[in-house]
């Protein structure tokens, strides 16, 4: 009894007492200290053996160690609601907490504050120093955010602010929820505290890296009726802060008409970008993990704007999604991808697949399978040469027509891949029920497998899970030979990342490919 966890002794003892009386009321689980191992969790199954006089003579108690299974369950739940890189809450958790704070404030007559912050010039650091350095910078910035947003804040009217009040929405975007605001001006103090915390340089790879943050601020109910509107308006205010010179904070206000006009201008230029020939594809190779042989490419969209130069998707895809332009742009990508494959065949290159990212709007709003088939037939290629990549959030938020679209694609023989697996909702159940062929492990997991035992175990488990489900497993963001060795040893099918090649402008792909053919027999 002394080895049973102190919180579990009373229920266990009560179970013994009831067993003597001919009843079974053992706790289903209890914790016990195992010599030489430590605390473990056991699941019990019990039975009574009754003697000839009808009284219990023996208690049959079976105990199964379920510590590891319970830890796995907790890990899966953690993945669903947390950012895997920083451990902060993700978008799903933040929206839940913001909705709950609004509901509470509605009942109590209070206000809720949201700070939406973006690290200034983070893309430049990623491009010049590499994604691994960028990830370490995000980790360090997240630690400073935790330290400067105090767990017990005067703004919270005596309530403790949960650590998940700080969330990472993705990329270099973070949010801070202040669940009970006395007056909007107090949120400026939180914004200044955050910006002051980032003043000191970060030490990365022997270099001092300076980073600042632009912050947008909204207050419920002044700036939005629900969590979605609050977040959207905070994002608008954040971009206005960037336009004021960066390292600024800005409250949302209806006077931000200039920002809206600039967004409309961007939308107008983007609307005609395909017709003006400004859209282009850069292709990133995918190689077989076992042999290093090139097996395909992923098509990555770029916009070469005459005024702003080469624009990456992170700077214009959100506008395209919000305005519906993502549908015609996505159709252009499908058409161009089919034409690209045909040019490969005409050049006598080996048969390879080209994967294309497809948005949720394309899946829900148009006959995607029909469009792909039409483009493939016009180009004179087999549609099976195109692979469609979708995100986890598309699956989780999917409707009936999403499933119908996926089934129609499968009927054409088109392979379907889940992109960035593990960074959003970790929809493990969907993997068993939807027509999915490929699991792409996100680079956030891959980036630290040679350094972190936790990331190593988690990534190995994801690869094993994909293989157990009969899926092809592709690892993204492979940057070192050590990462490639581990992923290959775990049974990963394909690798993609800077170790093999950065994304290549389409015009340079043939030369790259022929050079690879000369290297690999």
């Amino acid at each position: 009894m002394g080895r049973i966890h102190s919180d579990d002794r009373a229920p266990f003892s009560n179970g013994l007492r009831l067993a003597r009386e001919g009843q079974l009321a053992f706790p289903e689980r209890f914790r016990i200290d195992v010599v030489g191992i430590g605390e473990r969790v056991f699941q019990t199954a019990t039975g009574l053996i009754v003697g000839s006089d009808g009284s219990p003579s023996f208690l049959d108690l079976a105990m199964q160690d379920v510590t590891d299974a319970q830890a796995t369950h907790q890990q899966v739940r953690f993945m669903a609601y947390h950012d895997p890189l920083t451990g902060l809450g993700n978008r799903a958790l933040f929206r839940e907490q913001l909705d709950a704070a609004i509901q509470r404030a509605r009942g109590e007559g209070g206000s809720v504050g949201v700070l939406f912050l973006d690290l200034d010039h983070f893309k430049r650091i990623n491009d010049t120093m590499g994604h691994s350095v960028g990830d370490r910078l995000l980790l360090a910035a997240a630690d400073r955010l935790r330290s400067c947003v105090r767990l017990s804040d005067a703004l919270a009217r005596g309530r403790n602010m949960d650590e998940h009040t700080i969330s990472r929405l993705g990329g270099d975007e973070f949010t801070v929820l202040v669940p009970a605001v006395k007056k909007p001006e107090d949120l400026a103090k939180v914004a200044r505290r955050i910006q002051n915390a980032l003043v000191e340089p970060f030490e990365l790879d022997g270099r001092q890296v300076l980073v600042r943050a632009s912050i947008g601020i909204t207050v419920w109910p002044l700036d939005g009726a629900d969590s979605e509107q609050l977040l959207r308006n905070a994002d608008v205010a954040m971009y206005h802060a960037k336009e004021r010179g960066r390292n600024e904070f800005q409250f949302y206000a209806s006077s931000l008409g200039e920002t809206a006009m600039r967004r409309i201008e961007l939308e107008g230029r983007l609307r005609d970008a395909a017709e003006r020939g400004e859209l282009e594809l850069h292709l990133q190779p995918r190689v077989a993990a076992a042999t290093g042989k090139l097996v395909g490419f992923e098509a990555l969209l770029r916009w070469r704007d005459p005024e702003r130069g080469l624009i990456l998707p992170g700077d214009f895809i959100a506008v395209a999604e919000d305005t519906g332009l993502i549908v015609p742009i996505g159709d252009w990508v499908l058409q161009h991808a089919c034409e690209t494959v045909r040019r490969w065949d005409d050049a006598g290159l080996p048969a390879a697949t080209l994967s294309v990212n497809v948005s949720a709007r394309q899946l829900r709003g148009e006959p995607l399978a029909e469009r792909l088939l039409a483009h493939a037939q016009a180009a004179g290629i087999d549609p099976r040469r195109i692979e469609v990549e979708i995100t986890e959030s598309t699956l989780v938020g999917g409707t009936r027509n999403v499933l119908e679209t996926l089934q129609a694609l499968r009927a054409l023989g088109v392979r379907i891949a889940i992109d960035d697996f593990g960074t959003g909702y970790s929809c493990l159940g969907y993997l068993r029920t939807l027509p999915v062929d490929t699991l792409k492990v996100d680079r956030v997991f891959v980036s630290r497998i040679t350094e972190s035992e936790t990331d190593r175990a988690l990534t190995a488990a994801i690869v094993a899970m994909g293989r157990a489900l009969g899926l092809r497993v592709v690892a993204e963001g492979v940057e070192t030979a050590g990462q490639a060795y581990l992923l290959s040893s775990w049974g990963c099918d394909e690798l993609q990342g800077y170790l093999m090649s950065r994304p290549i402008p389409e015009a340079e792909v043939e030369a790259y490919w022929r050079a690879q053919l000369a290297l690999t027999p």
Side-chain angles (χ1 to χ4, degrees):
M1 188 67 74
R3 289 183 180 170
I4 296 175
H5 192 282
S6 58
D7 292 342
D8 298 340
R9 286 176 196 160
F12 189 92
S13 179
N14 189 52
L16 285 175
R17 180 184 61 79
L18 292 173
R20 294 191 185 98
E21 299 172 3
Q23 304 177 52
L24 284 177
F26 256 80
E28 291 184 359
R29 295 191 180 191
F30 60 91
R31 292 158 290 177
I32 191 169
D33 184 30
V34 179
V35 176
I37 298 178
E39 185 180 286
R40 307 289 289 180
V41 180
F42 288 87
Q43 182 169 303
T44 63
T46 55
L48 285 173
I49 299 177
V50 180
S52 57
D53 63 350
S55 62
S57 56
F58 292 99
L59 171 67
D60 188 7
L61 174 63
M63 297 176 9
Q64 180 182 4
D65 188 337
V66 295
T67 311
D68 295 337
Q70 181 166 290
T72 300
H73 174 75
Q74 292 171 345
Q75 182 66 53
V76 169
R77 178 168 176 78
F78 185 88
M79 288 170 58
Y81 286 98
H82 293 78
D83 168 49
L85 175 64
T86 62
L88 295 173
N90 62 11
R91 181 182 293 270
L93 182 58
F94 184 80
R95 288 287 297 271
E96 276 191 12
Q97 292 184 323
L98 180 53
D99 285 336
I102 290 173
Q103 189 64 29
R104 186 168 58 243
R106 184 177 283 117
E108 299 175 358
S111 298
V112 178
V114 171
L115 283 74
F116 191 114
L117 68 102
D118 183 274
L119 301 183
D120 296 332
H121 302 302
F122 178 77
K123 174 182 171 297
R124 184 186 302 167
I125 295 169
N126 254 352
D127 291 346
T128 58
M129 302 181 69
H131 288 286
S132 59
V133 174
D135 284 351
R136 294 203 297 277
L137 176 59
L138 290 172
L139 277 168
D143 287 339
R144 289 198 189 177
L145 285 175
R146 287 189 184 98
S147 65
C148 73
V149 179
R150 295 192 300 267
L151 291 179
S152 180
D153 195 293
L155 300 177
R157 295 181 182 171
R159 293 190 187 93
N160 283 336
M161 294 174 65
D162 189 278
E163 65 170 317
H164 300 143
T165 298
I166 309 169
S167 300
R168 181 186 176 215
L169 300 192
D172 59 334
E173 294 179 341
F174 297 84
T175 51
V176 177
L177 168 64
V178 182
V181 179
K182 293 181 180 178
K183 56 182 182 294
E185 293 81 1
D186 288 336
L187 294 173
K189 299 176 183 177
V190 181
R192 290 193 192 98
R193 192 187 310 153
I194 290 171
Q195 290 176 330
N196 290 338
L198 298 174
V199 167
E200 290 296 322
F202 293 87
E203 191 77 21
L204 299 171
D205 283 357
R207 298 189 228 175
Q208 289 193 333
V209 178
L210 294 174
V211 68
R212 300 290 185 266
S214 297
I215 303 174
I217 304 172
T218 51
V219 182
W220 182 89
L222 298 175
D223 301 322
D226 54 31
S227 59
E228 181 179 356
Q229 194 172 10
L230 278 178
L231 271 175
R232 184 169 62 248
N233 289 343
D235 190 14
V236 170
M238 182 272 293
Y239 276 106
H240 187 61
K242 281 186 178 293
E243 291 173 357
R244 290 177 54 191
R246 302 180 187 269
N247 195 31
E248 298 275 352
F249 64 84
Q250 174 69 47
F251 281 86
Y252 178 81
S254 58
S255 60
L256 297 182
E258 183 181 351
T259 301
M261 288 301 297
R262 290 182 183 178
R263 187 177 176 91
I264 291 172
E265 180 186 353
L266 177 64
E267 175 189 339
R269 294 207 310 271
L270 182 59
R271 190 176 298 277
D272 300 324
E275 295 179 6
R276 293 193 302 267
E278 295 172 5
L279 298 181
E280 58 187 63
L281 295 181
H282 288 203
L283 310 183
Q284 186 166 37
R286 285 162 48 171
V287 305
T291 65
K293 182 179 179 181
L294 193 151
V295 294
F297 293 85
E298 179 182 357
L300 303 170
L301 182 63
R302 301 290 187 264
W303 176 18
R304 196 171 294 278
D305 181 67
E307 297 180 14
R308 300 171 60 187
L310 189 65
I311 305 176
L312 298 181
D315 296 324
F316 68 86
I317 287 296
V319 175
E321 289 275 8
D322 291 344
T323 59
L325 289 174
I326 193 66
V327 174
I329 289 175
D331 191 63
W332 178 91
V333 172
L334 283 176
Q335 178 184 357
H336 203 71
C338 291
E339 294 170 351
T340 298
V341 171
R342 178 54 190 255
R343 284 192 289 272
W344 293 347
D345 293 344
D346 292 344
L349 294 167
T353 59
L354 181 56
S355 60
V356 174
N357 293 279
V358 172
S359 74
R361 276 183 178 257
Q362 286 176 273
L363 288 172
R364 299 186 184 112
E366 67 171 25
L368 184 64
E370 295 178 18
R371 297 297 298 164
L372 175 55
L373 179 59
H375 291 316
Q377 290 175 337
I381 68 164
D382 188 331
R384 290 177 293 183
R385 299 284 296 281
I386 302 296
E387 181 179 54
V388 169
E389 294 192 11
I390 57 179
T391 61
E392 287 183 277
S393 57
T394 300
L395 289 177
V396 173
T399 57
R400 178 181 294 274
N401 58 342
V402 169
L403 178 58
E404 291 173 351
T405 300
L406 295 180
Q407 291 170 337
L409 289 167
R410 172 62 69 81
L412 295 176
V414 175
R415 293 190 303 193
I416 300 168
I418 299 180
D419 195 18
D420 299 335
F421 180 80
T423 63
Y425 299 88
S426 304
C427 46
L428 306 178
Y430 283 78
L431 294 180
R432 297 186 298 117
T433 58
L434 289 177
V436 173
D437 305 278
T438 303
L439 182 69
K440 299 194 74 175
V441 184
D442 188 74
R443 58 176 305 279
V444 168
F445 295 101
V446 173
S447 63
R448 298 198 298 163
I449 58 174
T450 57
E451 306 162 6
S452 165
E453 184 176 344
T454 300
D455 284 14
R456 189 159 53 248
L458 186 56
T459 306
I462 292 174
V463 174
M465 178 191 64
R467 292 184 60 82
L469 291 171
L471 303 177
R472 209 162 91 263
V473 181
V474 179
E476 298 181 294
V478 181
E479 296 187 356
T480 69
Q483 293 168 356
Y485 172 79
L486 285 175
L487 291 162
S488 179
S489 69
W490 295 332
C492 199
D493 297 290
E494 297 178 17
L495 308 177
Q496 178 180 343
Y498 284 6
L499 178 65
M500 283 62 68
S501 173
R502 292 173 177 265
I504 306 167
E506 188 182 354
E508 302 173 16
V509 167
E510 183 177 344
Y512 168 85
W513 200 338
R514 295 196 183 282
Q516 293 303 305
L517 290 173
L519 293 174
T520 55

